[in-house]
Amino acid sequence: MMRFSEATGHKVVSTATADTVGRVAGFTVDPQSRAVVALELKKTASGRVLRWSDLLAFGADAVTVSGADKITEPDEPITALTGKAHHLVGKRLLSSAGDVLGKVDDVEFDPETGMVTSLLANGAGLDGRRLIGVGSYAVVVQADAPAQSPPDQPRAAAQAPAPPTPQAQPHAPAQAPAPPTPPTSAPVTQDPAQPGSPAPEWVANVTKDRPGPA
Amino acid sequence: MSRLMRTSEIAKLPVVTMAGEDVAQIKDIVYSAGGGGVGGFTLAGRGLFAGPLKQSLLWGRVASLGADAVMIQDESALEPVQAVLEASASTGGSGGDVLGSQVLTDGGLDLGRVTDVILELGDAGTECDVVGYEIEASEAMGTKGTKLLIPLPDTIAASGQHLMVPASAKDFVGHDLAGFGAAVADFRAQLEGTR
């Protein structure tokens, strides 16, 4: 796996001419497919974008491309995904439950496929499959707790059975074990408390045997 | 599983779509069901000098309410302001703002003034009920001036001036939210038993 921090600055070399035709300046990620769909380049003769599907290989030291003609101006779908609003690194990380988890420090991706494998924040990695959206305010990821996802959210129901790393949520409230069978998502057992983080004072374990709704 | 939250923590929270855009911030909470539940929120724009928006957010359209943001699926969850006001009025919404009201027991005892409202959020944000108030205690509570938490029965009577609570509420007063959830459950169980 490679990280955005390592890959930024990579040379882009044409295999036809053996010339350097540009340098990697940024990454365009599509939150729907959770993959890098294009590279933003600088120092090119013409064009600013290299689509992932147009590159030959993303190696440890350079990106290879069959010819400089593969570098183009961004088209509409790519433009919609590009720009500061869509950069991940340095952005606030927000869970779908509405809790800030930290800031995205780096992003790990598979150089073979372009898939985002991990979002790194607070020294820990969140499974890249939890990525829901990238916007000007925050990067939104699926929260740990299955009970938080609304029934019609397409990605929520298919979360991996093995729970992703829980330690990446220092701000998440400590939660009591889930009641029988939440309506959506895999039956993931939740960590009742994050080690080392104090439970916020407003957390209470309220049992549900109240009288019926008014 | 549910959690407790103060309404003072909710005002000014950003409203964020699942795509990561902050489209508004919470302005006021609109209550429903005679003051026992949350019908929705009125919204203000983001930014230093932004005023109220002509849009509101019904509780049913909230995907999740967390410590740092109110999440919605996308901007289509927002509706004209009238929607939230009408929805609340139709369920007997308590018109007045309860903050600053005097809390009176049905025995005529003044317990204090309301300084905050405590909400209980259910699973997946399906319910959001008012379960109690934070009050600044009067002399009758023996600890004048301190902040106490009073649990609420399912229905209460509230005007802009007074909040009526059963006299037994006095015995289930809490001092912090950690134990308050249990106090609410006990208080309601006790009311059920005497009905």
Side-chain angles (χ1 to χ4, degrees):
Chain A
M1 297 304 147
M2 209 182 286
R3 297 187 178 187
F4 281 8
S5 55
E6 299 166 326
T8 306
H10 259 37
K11 284 184 291 200
V12 180
V13 180
S14 156
T15 54
T17 61
D19 282 334
T20 302
V21 291
R23 281 205 181 258
V24 176
F27 301 86
T28 300
V29 173
D30 178 3
Q32 298 284 333
S33 56
R34 297 185 200 104
V36 177
V37 293
L39 304 175
E40 294 155 32
L41 305 183
K42 59 183 181 190
K43 299 203 176 135
T44 59
S46 63
R48 288 175 286 152
V49 156
L50 176 61
R51 271 186 210 72
W52 188 272
S53 48
D54 285 340
L55 62 83
L56 280 179
F58 203 120
D61 305 298
V63 176
T64 52
V65 71
S66 58
D69 56 326
K70 296 293 185 196
I71 301 171
T72 58
E73 287 302 315
D75 57 16
E76 266 234 35
I78 302 254
T79 308
L81 295 170
T82 314
K84 256 189 96 178
H86 300 281
H87 280 178
L88 280 82
V89 177
K91 197 157 277 170
R92 177 189 281 113
L93 192 59
L94 184 62
S95 79
S96 59
D99 304 307
V100 166
L101 306 178
K103 203 169 60 93
V104 178
D105 294 320
D106 208 342
V107 177
E108 208 178 60
F109 68 104
D110 182 342
E112 306 263 321
T113 60
M115 294 291 294
V116 169
T117 50
S118 191
L119 300 169
L120 300 163
N122 304 323
L126 273 80
D127 192 331
R129 283 169 293 179
R130 289 169 63 185
L131 180 64
I132 297 177
V134 181
S136 52
Y137 182 74
V139 171
V140 181
V141 289
Q142 183 64 41
D144 254 349
Q148 296 294 342
S149 53
D152 56 345
Q153 198 176 8
R155 267 184 287 281
Q159 283 306 316
T165 50
Q167 67 268 24
Q169 292 192 337
H171 301 286
Q175 292 161 350
T181 331
T184 59
S185 299
V188 175
T189 52
Q190 307 169 32
D191 274 332
Q194 307 305 328
S197 69
E201 60 104 5
W202 41 263
V203 169
N205 294 318
V206 180
T207 56
K208 293 292 278 183
D209 42 22
R210 298 167 32 194
Chain B
M1 183 220 74
S2 53
R3 55 182 237 234
L4 301 186
M5 229 175 149
R6 292 163 182 273
T7 53
S8 56
E9 290 163 356
I10 299 178
K12 301 241 174 84
L13 278 185
V15 178
V16 185
T17 63
M18 290 296 178
E21 298 294 328
D22 56 332
V23 295
Q25 64 185 34
I26 301 291
K27 184 167 166 297
D28 291 313
I29 300 173
V30 178
Y31 297 97
S32 64
V38 170
F41 308 99
T42 58
L43 304 174
R46 298 282 279 156
L48 275 183
F49 302 106
L53 291 183
K54 294 195 170 59
Q55 288 175 309
S56 64
L57 179 58
L58 283 171
W59 177 251
R61 306 304 299 271
V62 169
S64 193
L65 203 175
D68 307 297
V70 177
M71 305 300 294
I72 55 176
Q73 276 302 116
D74 52 52
E75 285 200 55
S76 67
L78 303 181
E79 294 177 40
V81 168
Q82 278 311 107
V84 75
L85 298 177
E86 278 165 15
S88 294
S90 68
T91 57
S94 69
D97 183 9
V98 294
L99 294 179
S101 301
Q102 185 188 36
V103 180
L104 280 182
T105 67
D106 46 21
L109 188 63
D110 168 22
L111 299 183
R113 296 222 159 249
V114 178
T115 52
D116 208 344
V117 179
I118 315 294
L119 301 178
E120 179 183 46
L121 302 167
D123 287 338
T126 47
E127 310 145 32
C128 184
D129 296 331
V130 175
V131 293
Y133 293 97
E134 184 191 61
I135 62 169
E136 197 173 295
S138 66
E139 277 168 14
M141 301 301 292
T143 47
K144 185 172 172 72
T146 58
K147 296 281 175 84
L148 297 173
L149 303 172
I150 292 244
L152 229 57
D154 279 333
T155 53
I156 51 146
S159 69
Q161 282 188 311
H162 305 113
L163 206 66
M164 305 299 301
V165 296
S168 54
K170 189 163 170 288
D171 303 324
F172 291 90
V173 150
H175 296 268
D176 56 64
L177 281 180
F180 190 57
V184 169
D186 290 342
F187 175 60
R188 293 185 174 186
Q190 182 246 13
L191 283 184
E192 277 281 281
T194 56
R195 263 184 209 152

